[in-house]
Amino acid sequence: MRTRLWPAVIVTVGAFVVDRVTRALAFRSPAQDVLPGVLRSEPHFNSGIAFGIPLPNALLLPLLGMLVLGITAVATFAYRRRWLAGWWASLLILAGAWSNLLDRFSYEAVRDFLRVPLWPTTGNLGDWMITVGAVLLLVTSTRRRRSSSG
């Protein structure tokens, strides 16, 4: 698995950079269709947590810090156990989480801009990395548990 460490790190850093660049570009332009009917850019600052739920900063930063530490523990566990899907999923979550945390420290809010039809809120690539990583982690951990108990 050690030979797979660097590709995963490179992809994670690449995803982080793409997220940061797309946020910067989105906030230089007014709201606009990116792919009409599929994807729209609507830049705004979100001072809440997931789905814009408000939470005081006194609770927000410690909570987010604990979540990042928890996912880091999952990444470490997955790497040591050679659980490749868990390793990649946790790195994807960490890339999105670090990007959102950087926004929190820089703007005291997260820069959201991606509007997808039928999705309740506007988000960013980091939010999607967290969502996809969490789903992948959930699905693969369930399969892993079933296969190890059977």
Side-chain angles (χ1 to χ4, degrees), residues 18-94:
V18 168
D19 181 44
R20 300 305 300 168
V21 168
T22 57
R23 289 179 201 220
L25 292 174
F27 275 74
R28 289 185 177 172
S29 304
Q32 61 184 320
D33 286 333
V34 177
L35 295 169
V38 178
L39 185 64
R40 183 168 171 76
S41 177
E42 295 178 4
H44 76 278
F45 289 94
N46 174 6
S47 59
I49 58 171
F51 304 108
I53 298 168
L55 191 66
N57 276 340
L59 294 174
L60 182 66
L61 292 178
L63 176 65
L64 293 175
M66 288 188 304
L67 288 171
V68 168
L69 285 174
I71 293 298
T72 301
V74 171
T76 303
F77 171 83
Y79 181 75
R80 288 184 178 161
R81 297 290 177 130
R82 301 179 189 271
W83 175 28
L84 193 57
W87 166 242
W88 279 87
S90 56
L91 289 180
L92 199 57
I93 294 168
L94 286 171

